[in-house]
Amino acid sequence: MNTDPSAHFGPASQSIRQYVEILSSRGIEWGLLGPREGDRLWDRHILNSVAVASLIPEGATVVDVGSGAGLPGLPLALFRPDVMMTLLESLLRRSEFLQLAVDELGLQDRVRVVRARAEEHRECYQVVTARAVAPLERLVGWCEPLMERGGALLALKGSSAADELAASADALSVRGLTGVVHELAVPGTDEVTWAVEIRRRRDRHPLS
Ligand SMILES: C[S@@+](CC[C@H](N)C(=O)[O-])C[C@H]1O[C@@H](n2cnc3c(N)ncnc32)[C@H](O)[C@@H]1O
């Protein structure tokens, strides 16, 4: 890995280091991350989160469903200052942690925290992201209503992506959805990760 992974964040390099500091201190103290995650925050969480950035259109509205401690939503918001980010999280303590991080990072003008279950949220976005929240089939049921016309769900799935997509084929078809798997380089590492991109069949699939 690059000796200074924060360099990938350009003008936000100081802010991403501050977020890593919040995660490795209060994130662990509050029980949002396991104690062993402290040593692998950069490659496993921060750089992995921004691998999907190339699939997000310029100036998009984005909702990060089940954001937890802010992953991938907060690294993406710092990496891509053009996006308007909503961090959607159902648990009170986690949403309080997210608001604390947004306030300390001074991101209130373009990052908002909403405490709600995805199934109950009633707004639409150009892009829905989700990492480690639910199996693809269930995630699609929660997230399809959040996708605006022409919008997409980007499910960060790791090496299970193709298998999950295949297993969800019938559920997608019934809903008039299609999916493709993207293999994505993790910046600053030799690693790759995977995202499943879900769109409505009637919308053009720009990346397929
Ligand atoms: C395993 S954590 C993953 C957190 C983060 N996305 C990550 O990659 O580290 C799953 C998160 O999704 C939240 N969650 C689960 N079901 C949800 C739902 N239906 N709506 C909103 N958030 C949900 C949980 O509270 C938890 O914070």
Side-chain angles (χ1 to χ4, degrees), residues 32-33 45 49 64-73 88-91 94 116-120 130-134 142:
L32 273 68
L33 291 173
H45 296 291
S49 289
D64 183 29
V65 167
S67 196
L71 299 162
L88 188 67
E89 170 54 53
S90 55
L91 292 184
R94 290 173 185 225
R117 295 188 63 78
E119 317 81 297
E120 291 159 4
R131 192 186 85 147
V133 178
W142 293 349

Side-chain angles (χ1 to χ4, degrees), residues 16-192:
I16 194 70
R17 286 197 300 273
Q18 190 182 346
Y19 175 54
V20 166
E21 201 284 320
I22 294 170
L23 282 179
S24 60
S25 54
R26 281 161 288 173
I28 292 176
E29 286 156 29
W30 289 34
L32 273 68
L33 291 173
R36 282 189 297 170
E37 297 306 306
D39 293 337
R40 42 193 186 191
L41 284 177
W42 280 105
D43 50 352
R44 193 178 169 130
H45 296 291
I46 304 296
L47 297 169
N48 178 279
S49 289
V50 299
V52 76
S54 62
L55 302 179
I56 299 178
E58 178 77 21
T61 56
V62 181
V63 62
D64 183 29
V65 167
S67 196
L71 299 162
L74 276 172
L76 277 173
L78 290 169
F79 194 75
R80 287 286 302 271
D82 54 294
V83 304
M84 296 294 289
M85 177 67 68
T86 296
L87 306 174
L88 188 67
E89 170 54 53
S90 55
L91 292 184
L92 175 63
R93 191 162 172 77
R94 290 173 185 225
S95 64
E96 287 175 346
F97 176 88
L98 289 170
Q99 191 60 60
L100 170 154
V102 168
D103 291 346
E104 291 191 11
L105 294 168
L107 292 172
Q108 301 92 330
D109 57 339
R110 59 187 189 83
V111 181
R112 140 183 110 124
V113 177
V114 174
R115 184 188 169 210
R117 295 188 63 78
E119 317 81 297
E120 291 159 4
H121 190 54
R122 291 283 172 268
E123 292 179 41
C124 294
Y125 302 83
Q126 282 169 274
V127 175
V128 183
T129 60
R131 192 186 85 147
V133 178
L136 187 62
E137 196 171 326
R138 197 181 320 149
L139 199 58
V140 161
W142 293 349
C143 295
E144 192 212 341
L146 307 180
M147 288 162 45
E148 65 181 40
R149 194 168 172 182
L153 163 64
L154 300 174
L156 285 66
K157 281 292 180 185
S159 60
S160 69
D163 289 344
E164 283 209 46
L165 181 57
S168 307
D170 289 347
L172 293 179
S173 178
V174 163
R175 292 175 177 275
L177 299 169
T178 76
V180 292
V181 174
H182 297 277
E183 185 178 273
L184 303 162
V186 178
T189 75
D190 298 329
E191 310 278 311
V192 292

